[in-house]
Amino acid sequence: MKKVVFMFILGILIFGGCISIPSSKVNTHRRVFESVIIADNSLTAPFVVREYINDSSSYSKETVYFSTALFLSDLGILNEITKEQFENYAAVVFSEFPRENQVKEIIIPNLSRSIKEDSEKNAHLFITKQKNNEGRVHYLVESNIPIAGVNNMPYYDGYVMKIDSGFWKNHIPASWTSIMNLHFIGNNLFYRGIAYPSKSAPLIITDRGIGSDTRMNAVISGESTIAETKDKLKETVETAIKNTVPENQSQLHSMRFLEKTTNISLSAYSYIEGNFNEAKKYYSLSEEVNVDIPDSAMGRRYGELKNIMNYLLNIMGG
């Protein structure tokens, strides 16, 4: 019996693999725009926002901040951003969205911080209101930030945006356009980017076992709430660990890593839910579990999610 239970625990591994760019009805035409000249090329702000009409929507601070952290993690610059810069990204990119048939164009001067005087390095984000293939309304974000698939590396986890090369002046090649999505349920905003959520996905329980919630489909589709997701995750993992007696060090290591990853996942869900104190509690509980992080896709996801939660809880604060 204990072997059966332990095999269920190892269901955590069955969701490993690559992430595909979310399906949306996207016109991959070339976006044409004018360059913006900024006197101080060392700045990543101020942002330039083209005129548009917003849809008067607003979302919870916690989900806006979580989405902002995921976006900056996607770019690979989260740990380089100050609290003030983070708040600027949250306010400009993840607040006030366009109505249908409107385009919100955001220009981020010299995002790559290039030192080449002859290079045009402004990043452009084009946000539009769209319907996906299931008919759900969401915000589509197109960008001239190139992406690179690291498909020859072990434990390939999807795409990573590259901001230090490959910007094209005054146009975006269709094949290079980065596609990101912002979904909303009530006042909760959920970011689906290039590398996220695959590289930092929290755990979820499905009929297949314990795995990574690489798409947040249950919550985004309305099939489950954050509270229900947390309850099911806690109950399932606690029961599995309680009823399993490890037969060797390898099984003990897997159980401890499952416990550590579950707590960091619950920290993320609690933060999204708006419960800062509970998010801190689960983060601390995760830190207390002493276990080596495996060199695997799951280990990398844990590390990135921990990095995101550390930033939100300790740098941004409540």
Side-chain angles (χ1 to χ4, degrees):
M1 175 63 183
K2 58 188 177 183
K3 287 187 176 180
V4 173
V5 175
F6 188 73
M7 288 304 294
F8 175 72
I9 290 178
L10 294 184
I12 190 174
L13 301 176
I14 65 177
F15 288 89
C18 305
I19 185 173
S20 58
I21 296 176
S23 174
S24 295
K25 296 178 180 178
V26 179
N27 293 321
T28 55
H29 59 275
R30 292 172 184 251
R31 291 246 184 223
V32 179
F33 54 88
E34 296 179 2
S35 297
V36 174
I37 298 175
I38 303 297
D40 186 352
N41 286 332
S42 66
L43 296 177
T44 56
F47 299 87
V48 178
V49 182
R50 300 293 193 195
E51 185 176 348
Y52 73 101
I53 301 174
N54 72 61
D55 62 4
S56 302
S57 60
S58 62
Y59 303 97
S60 72
K61 184 186 81 170
E62 291 79 12
T63 58
V64 166
Y65 275 16
F66 195 74
S67 294
T68 304
L70 295 172
F71 173 67
L72 295 173
S73 174
D74 244 359
L75 292 177
I77 61 173
L78 176 62
N79 294 322
E80 303 172 17
I81 297 295
T82 66
K83 181 177 181 179
E84 181 181 6
Q85 289 173 321
F86 184 98
E87 290 172 341
N88 286 337
Y89 274 96
V92 174
V93 180
F94 296 94
S95 302
E96 297 188 352
F97 295 100
R99 291 183 184 176
E100 292 183 19
N101 302 318
Q102 292 284 311
V103 178
K104 180 179 180 180
E105 180 183 356
I106 303 167
I107 303 160
I108 309 175
N110 196 31
L111 178 62
S112 70
R113 305 177 191 178
S114 172
I115 59 175
K116 296 179 181 179
E117 294 181 358
D118 59 346
S119 296
E120 164 61 59
K121 295 295 181 179
N122 293 337
H124 292 247
L125 305 176
F126 300 92
I127 304 178
T128 53
K129 206 167 189 176
Q130 305 270 342
K131 284 187 178 180
N132 64 11
N133 291 335
E134 290 75 43
R136 291 196 296 271
V137 178
H138 70 294
Y139 300 107
L140 174 72
V141 185
E142 299 168 272
S143 177
N144 65 326
I145 303 168
I147 59 177
V150 193
N151 52 17
N152 292 321
M153 295 182 65
Y155 310 113
Y156 171 59
D157 276 340
Y159 297 98
V160 176
M161 287 194 223
K162 300 295 184 182
I163 62 170
D164 57 354
S165 65
F167 281 69
W168 282 43
K169 185 173 183 176
N170 291 340
H171 71 279
I172 304 175
S175 61
W176 278 19
T177 301
S178 298
I179 303 296
M180 296 157 272
N181 293 271
L182 300 173
H183 296 267
F184 50 90
I185 300 294
N187 71 335
N188 292 329
L189 187 71
F190 297 97
Y191 170 80
R192 281 186 183 167
I194 302 299
Y196 179 82
S198 179
K199 72 173 182 178
S200 53
L203 296 183
I204 193 173
I205 306 300
T206 72
D207 56 4
R208 297 175 62 193
I210 306 170
S212 295
D213 189 5
T214 58
R215 301 294 294 276
M216 275 199 173
N217 279 335
V219 175
I220 290 174
S221 66
E223 295 175 4
S224 181
T225 65
I226 293 294
E228 291 169 345
T229 299
K230 286 171 58 182
D231 289 343
K232 194 171 183 181
L233 180 60
K234 285 188 289 186
E235 179 183 357
T236 304
V237 173
E238 286 174 2
T239 300
I241 292 177
K242 181 180 179 180
N243 293 335
T244 301
V245 178
E247 297 182 348
N248 51 51
Q249 283 298 115
S250 177
Q251 288 186 1
L252 179 61
H253 180 279
S254 296
M255 289 175 61
R256 285 179 175 169
F257 180 62
L258 173 61
E259 183 181 4
K260 192 175 187 71
T261 307
T262 298
N263 281 320
I264 203 68
S265 299
L266 291 171
S267 176
Y269 286 130
S270 296
Y271 186 89
I272 292 170
E273 200 176 29
N275 194 331
F276 184 83
N277 289 333
E278 191 171 80
K280 289 280 285 186
K281 180 191 79 173
Y282 282 118
Y283 184 90
S284 296
L285 288 173
S286 180
E287 288 287 89
E288 292 172 7
V289 179
N290 185 20
V291 63
D292 292 334
I293 308 305
D295 183 17
S296 64
M298 193 62 67
R300 297 173 201 276
R301 288 167 186 163
Y302 162 81
E304 193 65 25
L305 187 57
K306 176 193 172 182
N307 182 51
I308 288 166
M309 293 313 302
N310 177 65
Y311 190 98
L312 291 172
L313 296 174
N314 298 311
I315 296 180
M316 296 309 299

